[in-house]
């Protein structure tokens, strides 16, 4: 990855869901992503395209106000066009109303080490501010929502939360 000239950081997300939907959302997201990568891998094998190269992680956070979960991917691609292709196909393949263009983040990676730390640091956000709109003051404390954390861990059980695609490590 140190040899990548133009790495890009991409966040792919879907609309928030209830606890009972989280496992299904995560499975659907993983299948959709795999279909995108597989399509381009096959095109590269046929000589009609280029394969997508990058690393991804699956994450979910919990909103204590609305009691909803936000599953999403953090991805670093080798080049900008790869991130753009993944983002475009993600939006096309997702069910209408479950994704929005403005929710998907695409930015250049200025520091590869920092970018990698961002995608591999966790699969769930254990500490959550009670009021998401306010930054925690030094006297405030974050809360651990154990039931929400358990829901996230159960939904991710057996899933590969960190993975590479398009290259062998």
């Amino acid at each position: 990855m140190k040899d990548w000239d133009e790495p890009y950081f991409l966040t792919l997300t879907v609309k928030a869901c209830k606890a009972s939907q989280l496992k299904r959302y995560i499975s659907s997201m993983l299948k959709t992503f795999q279909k995108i990568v597989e399509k381009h891998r096959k095109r590269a094998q046929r000589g009609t395209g280029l394969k997508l190269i990058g690393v991804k992680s699956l994450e979910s956070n919990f909103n204590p106000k609305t009691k909803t979960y936000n599953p999403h991917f953090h991805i670093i691609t080798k080049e900008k066009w790869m991130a753009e292709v993944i983002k475009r196909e993600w939006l096309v393949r997702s069910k209408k109303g479950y994704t929005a263009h403005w929710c998907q983040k695409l930015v250049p990676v200025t520091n590869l080490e920092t970018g990698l730390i961002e995608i591999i640091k966790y699969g769930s956000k254990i500490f959550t501010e009670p009021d998401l709109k306010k930054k925690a003051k030094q006297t405030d404390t974050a809360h651990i929502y154990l039931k929400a954390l358990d829901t996230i861990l159960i939904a991710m059980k057996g899933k590969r939360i960190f993975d590479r695609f398009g290259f062998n490590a």
Side-chain angles (χ1 to χ4, degrees):
M1 292 177 65
K2 290 177 185 176
D3 298 332
W4 293 2
D5 293 332
E6 191 188 18
Y8 260 74
F9 187 88
L10 173 64
T11 301
L12 297 177
T13 190
V14 294
K15 76 176 192 173
C17 64
K18 297 290 182 187
S20 62
Q21 301 170 306
L22 184 60
K23 187 171 185 166
R24 192 169 14 120
Y25 269 50
I26 287 173
S27 292
S28 177
M29 289 172 63
L30 289 166
K31 285 178 190 170
T32 299
F33 187 83
Q34 188 58 39
K35 285 178 183 177
I36 293 167
V37 171
E38 189 65 21
K39 170 186 168 182
H40 290 275
R41 186 184 66 76
K42 287 198 182 267
R43 285 184 177 180
Q45 286 176 336
R46 290 185 207 116
T48 59
L50 299 170
K51 67 180 174 181
L52 302 173
I53 299 170
V55 293
K56 75 167 174 64
S57 70
L58 173 64
E59 179 182 312
S60 182
N61 33 350
F62 174 68
N63 182 329
K65 293 279 187 199
T66 60
K67 306 283 191 259
T68 57
Y69 298 81
N70 177 243
H72 54 280
F73 289 122
H74 289 300
I75 302 164
I76 296 178
T77 59
K78 183 177 178 181
E79 297 175 13
K80 181 179 181 181
W81 72 265
M82 294 177 185
E84 290 170 340
V85 165
I86 293 168
K87 178 181 171 183
R88 183 175 56 248
E89 289 200 30
W90 178 260
L91 292 168
V92 168
R93 290 174 178 266
S94 298
K95 290 182 181 177
K96 189 172 177 87
Y98 284 79
T99 58
H101 176 75
W102 59 271
C103 294
Q104 320 308 313
K105 183 174 105 177
L106 177 64
V107 294
V109 173
T110 54
N111 181 324
L112 186 59
E113 185 176 329
T114 304
L116 283 170
I117 289 169
E118 177 65 26
I119 68 168
I120 63 174
K121 63 184 174 185
Y122 43 68
S124 65
K125 292 193 175 150
I126 296 171
F127 297 99
T128 303
E129 298 304 324
D131 187 347
L132 298 175
K133 294 187 185 215
K134 293 181 183 176
K135 293 272 185 184
K137 297 175 188 164
Q138 283 188 327
T139 57
D140 290 344
T141 58
H143 295 278
I144 299 176
Y145 294 92
L146 289 178
K147 185 170 170 59
L149 178 59
D150 187 54
T151 299
I152 292 168
L153 294 176
I154 287 170
M156 290 183 177
K157 183 179 180 182
K159 308 291 189 227
R160 189 174 288 197
I161 61 170
F162 181 74
D163 202 6
R164 48 115 183 107
F165 55 94
F167 71 100
N168 290 323

